[in-house]
């Protein structure tokens, strides 16, 4: 017992040392580059960190979070449906699912947004807002179509992740569930999906992070999310390096916690372990 | 209780069941033996509708399993099945494994299901393992939980497909004892097994399958004493030799 604790603490020491070396190296590289650049480029961080600029960034952050959050929900739900269709006993559903995935996965997202916003949306309505039935509110049409495009596009990737997860659950699990008298839906709900979900947490979070990053492309439909905000700030005051560095930091502030949460979830949900 | 009439089953071009006829009375224990690949598992899986048949008829408790109008989910509540590899749900505790059927399929209240499960856990001798996960149990314990999971549905028929084949030798008897107990309570059972001791003691009749057919079926004693079919005789010699 005592031996194990000693071992544990020496491992901890090693880890801390590695982290320290990493931080020092990173600091050296950053400051080195920074020093070199500062010889020719006058950094003006105090201007960049003007509260007005930060307010603009925070507003952009809010839009990015809203759009990504909604698209995550939409993309995951639709992705699950497409995955189930692709695994269903009905050939027509399987074929439709396959068509969906093949079409969406094989066009650039940029093209898809342009098509959805400047093409499809004009077929439905041309107004600056889209009324939402039931909720009785109007949504900015850029947000509406941004969320729709991102959800539809990501669903094609997410569905493949779900499909792989479901297929990785052993066939005998479905047989055991059906043998108890569970319907197809019940065996999916209680037996297959909970097990599949545990397996797909890492690739699924990877895809959700990709979704956040892709939302940057929504700037082409003038949606004032983070990236467009940075562009506009740069046009007002040419602090290119500063603003884009801040922009990158904002994205990291969204995506790094996501991978951290995924890591925690994965450990917490490890199959068959008492919580 | 179970009537199998002239059942044929193909996997693609492979003719696996070639005209099976069987009658199993209520409370009877039928042990099914036969060489590997002779179709024993397939026959069991046809009885609870996990596999489709291409010809013939299987009736369990007056329900025609393979008629398209039959509600298989309903029929399966009456037919418990225990697999060689347990197939417990690894993400659920032992308690949840046992109560999931009664609560979700039969829609019995959670409290009542829990009481059923507690009784069953006591009966299989591991009441203290209720909150464990399957991979924290020994093979023998897992198989007993699998039996309890099936029994929780209060089935009229129990099917066993080599329930002890995946177990370490020292765990076989704890599972067989439980099955003997069930037999003595007049549960209708069809058991595929290589455990000849169990067959001798617990079976009312023994059927020998060879090449997709039932080569011989006889009361246990007679089956061992004077087998009529040549293949049966060879099989018995082989299994009794080891
Ligand atoms: N899903 C399937 N698809 C194709 N062939 C199959 C399938 N399941 C079983 N078979 C074939 O059907 C035949 C009978 O298999 P079955 O599993 O019923 O035999 P068994 O008597 O249970 O053998 P064992 O003692 O090895 O379990 C075998 O030749 C097997 O390869
Ligand atoms: Mg078998």
């Amino acid at each position: 017992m005592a031996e194990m604790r000693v071992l544990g603490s020496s491992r901890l020491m090693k880890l801390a040392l590695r982290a320290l070396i990493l931080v020092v190296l990173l600091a050296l590289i950053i400051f080195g580059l920074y020093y070199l650049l500062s010889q020719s480029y006058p950094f003006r961080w105090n201007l960049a960190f003007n509260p007005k600029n930060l307010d603009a960034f925070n507003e952009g952050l809010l839009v990015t979070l809203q759009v990504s959050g909604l698209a995550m929900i939409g993309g995951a739900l639709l992705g699950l449906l497409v995955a189930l269709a692709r695994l269903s006993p009905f050939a027509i559903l399987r074929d439709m699912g396959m068509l969906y995935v093949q079409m969406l996965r094989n066009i650039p997202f940029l093209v898809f947004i342009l098509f959805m916003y400047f093409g499809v949306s004009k077929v439905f309505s041309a107004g600056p807002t889209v009324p939402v039935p039931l909720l009785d509110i109007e949504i900015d049409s850029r947000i509406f179509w941004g969320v729709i495009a991102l959800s539809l596009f990501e669903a094609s990737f997410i569905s493949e992740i779900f499909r792989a997860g479901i297929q990785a659950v052993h066939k005998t699990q479905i047989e055991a569930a059906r043998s108890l008298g569970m319907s197809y839906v019940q065996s999916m709900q209680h037996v297959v999906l909970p097990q599949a979900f545990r397996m797909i947490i890492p690739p699924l979070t990877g895809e959700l992070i990709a979704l956040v990053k892709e939302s940057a492309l929504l700037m082409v439909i003038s949606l004032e999310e983070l990236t467009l905000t940075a562009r506009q700030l740069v046009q007002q005051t040419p602090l290119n390096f500063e603003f884009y560095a801040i922009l990158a930091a904002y994205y990291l502030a969204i995506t790094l916690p996501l991978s951290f949460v995924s890591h925690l979830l994965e450990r917490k949900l490890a199959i068959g372990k008492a919580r | 209780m179970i009537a199998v009439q002239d059942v044929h089953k193909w996997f693609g071009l492979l003719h696996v069941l070639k005209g099976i006829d069987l009658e199993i009375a209520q409370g009877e224990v039928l042990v099914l033996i036969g060489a590997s690949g002779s179709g024993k598992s397939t026959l069991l899986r046809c009885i609870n509708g996990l596999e489709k048949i291409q010809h013939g008829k299987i009736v369990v408790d007056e329900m025609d399993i393979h008629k398209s109008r039959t509600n298989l989910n309903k029929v399966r509540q009456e037919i418990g099945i225990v697999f060689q590899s347990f197939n417990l749900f690894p993400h659920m505790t032992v308690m949840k494994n046992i109560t999931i059927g009664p609560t979700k399929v039969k829609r019995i209240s959670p409290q009542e299901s829990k009481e059923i499960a507690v009784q069953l856990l006591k009966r299989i001798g591991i009441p203290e393992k209720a909150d464990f996960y399957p991979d924290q149990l020994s093979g023998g314990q897992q198989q007993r939980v699998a039996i309890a999971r099936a029994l929780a549905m209060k089935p009229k028929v129990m099917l066993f497909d080599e329930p002890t084949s995946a177990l370490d030798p020292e765990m076989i008897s704890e599972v067989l004892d439980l099955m003997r107990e069930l037999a003595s309570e007049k549960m209708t059972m069809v058991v595929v097994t290589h455990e000849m001791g169990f067959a001798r003691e617990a079976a009312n009749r023994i059927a020998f399958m060879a090449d997709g057919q039932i080569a011989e079926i006889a009361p246990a004693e007679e089956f061992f004493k004077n087998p009529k079919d040549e293949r049966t005789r060879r099989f018995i010699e082989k299994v009794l030799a080891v």
Side-chain angles (χ1 to χ4, degrees), chain A residues 104-254:
Chain A
L104 276 268
R105 274 208 331 183
N106 289 308
I107 44 178
F109 181 51
L110 186 54
V111 173
F112 187 61
I113 308 168
L114 293 173
F115 171 66
M116 289 302 285
Y117 186 69
F118 295 108
V120 177
S121 88
K122 297 300 176 272
V123 175
F124 287 97
S125 83
T129 61
V130 177
V132 177
L134 298 178
L135 287 182
D136 201 30
I137 46 168
E138 304 245 321
I139 297 188
D140 184 314
S141 76
R142 291 165 303 174
I143 291 196
F144 179 84
W145 287 100
V147 168
I148 296 285
L150 209 49
S151 304
L152 289 177
F153 191 76
E154 276 303 323
S156 67
F157 291 87
I158 292 174
S159 76
E160 288 293 273
I161 293 172
F162 271 117
R163 188 167 72 111
I166 291 170
Q167 279 179 325
V169 176
H170 216 278
K171 212 177 111 238
T172 54
Q173 285 287 309
I174 303 184
E175 287 182 353
R178 299 304 300 270
S179 296
L180 283 175
M182 284 191 207
S183 65
Y184 176 79
V185 172
Q186 283 176 324
S187 58
M188 274 290 156
Q189 182 191 347
H190 301 297
V191 175
V192 179
L193 289 180
Q195 292 183 59
F197 186 65
R198 288 162 163 79
M199 282 186 273
I200 65 173
I201 289 171
L204 184 63
T205 343
E207 201 50 50
L208 295 181
I209 288 172
L211 184 155
V212 173
K213 294 188 291 181
E214 258 154 16
S215 74
L217 285 171
L218 293 175
M219 64 175 273
V220 300
I221 59 171
S222 318
L223 181 66
E224 279 152 343
E225 40 66 71
L226 275 174
T227 307
L228 185 58
T229 304
R231 294 266 303 182
Q232 288 169 345
L233 288 175
V234 167
Q235 271 155 18
Q236 284 162 24
T237 359
L239 303 170
N240 297 40
F241 185 98
E242 292 87 338
F243 283 137
Y244 288 136
I246 294 173
L247 176 64
Y250 265 90
Y251 277 108
L252 283 176
I254 306 175

Side-chain angles (χ1 to χ4, degrees), chain A residues 25-172:
Chain A
L25 261 177
L26 207 64
L28 276 177
I29 292 172
I30 289 177
F31 282 110
L33 280 175
Y34 192 79
Y35 176 77
L36 284 178
L37 285 174
S38 65
Q39 301 302 305
S40 54
Y41 181 91
F43 288 105
R44 283 165 297 173
W45 287 105
N46 52 337
L47 274 184
F49 278 117
N50 180 317
K52 233 179 63 212
N53 296 340
L54 289 185
D55 281 349
F57 267 116
N58 288 338
E59 266 171 46
L61 173 69
L62 213 62
V63 175
T64 292
L65 285 179
Q66 265 176 6
V67 170
S68 312
L70 288 172
M72 281 181 192
I73 297 170
L77 288 180
L78 187 61
L80 178 60
L81 286 183
V82 173
L84 290 174
R86 291 202 68 180
L87 294 169
S88 89
F90 306 107
I92 178 74
L93 286 181
R94 288 202 302 271
D95 291 346
M96 278 167 53
M98 190 200 54
L99 205 65
Y100 180 86
V101 172
Q102 291 306 334
M103 297 302 271
L104 276 268
R105 274 208 331 183
N106 289 308
I107 44 178
F109 181 51
L110 186 54
V111 173
F112 187 61
I113 308 168
L114 293 173
F115 171 66
M116 289 302 285
Y117 186 69
F118 295 108
V120 177
S121 88
K122 297 300 176 272
V123 175
F124 287 97
S125 83
T129 61
V130 177
V132 177
L134 298 178
L135 287 182
D136 201 30
I137 46 168
E138 304 245 321
I139 297 188
D140 184 314
S141 76
R142 291 165 303 174
I143 291 196
F144 179 84
W145 287 100
V147 168
I148 296 285
L150 209 49
S151 304
L152 289 177
F153 191 76
E154 276 303 323
S156 67
F157 291 87
I158 292 174
S159 76
E160 288 293 273
I161 293 172
F162 271 117
R163 188 167 72 111
I166 291 170
Q167 279 179 325
V169 176
H170 216 278
K171 212 177 111 238
T172 54

Side-chain angles (χ1 to χ4, degrees), chain A residues 173 175 178 186 190 275, chain B residues 45 76 88 91 104 133:
Chain A
Q173 285 287 309
E175 287 182 353
R178 299 304 300 270
Q186 283 176 324
H190 301 297
R275 255 137 276 189
Chain B
R45 293 161 60 83
R76 286 186 180 132
L88 290 172
H91 60 299
K104 300 300 173 192
Y133 284 84

Side-chain angles (χ1 to χ4, degrees), chain B residues 11 14 16 34-43 51 161-162 194:
Chain B
F11 283 115
L14 189 65
V16 179
S36 177
S38 56
K40 307 178 298 290
S41 300
T42 305
L43 177 57
E51 300 283 0
D161 190 359
E162 303 198 30
H194 296 301

Side-chain angles (χ1 to χ4, degrees), chain B residues 172-218:
Chain B
I172 289 177
S173 66
E174 62 194 49
V175 171
L176 291 182
D177 286 345
L178 181 56
M179 290 167 60
R180 270 192 207 99
E181 233 179 272
L182 279 179
S184 69
E185 289 161 15
K186 293 289 168 224
M187 172 64 82
T188 308
M189 293 161 63
V190 182
V191 183
V192 175
T193 184
H194 296 301
E195 295 294 330
M196 291 305 134
F198 174 83
R200 220 183 262 274
E201 292 164 47
N204 298 107
R205 284 186 300 161
I206 300 179
F208 177 73
M209 270 188 89
D211 194 25
Q213 288 177 317
I214 295 195
E216 178 148 9
I217 180 162

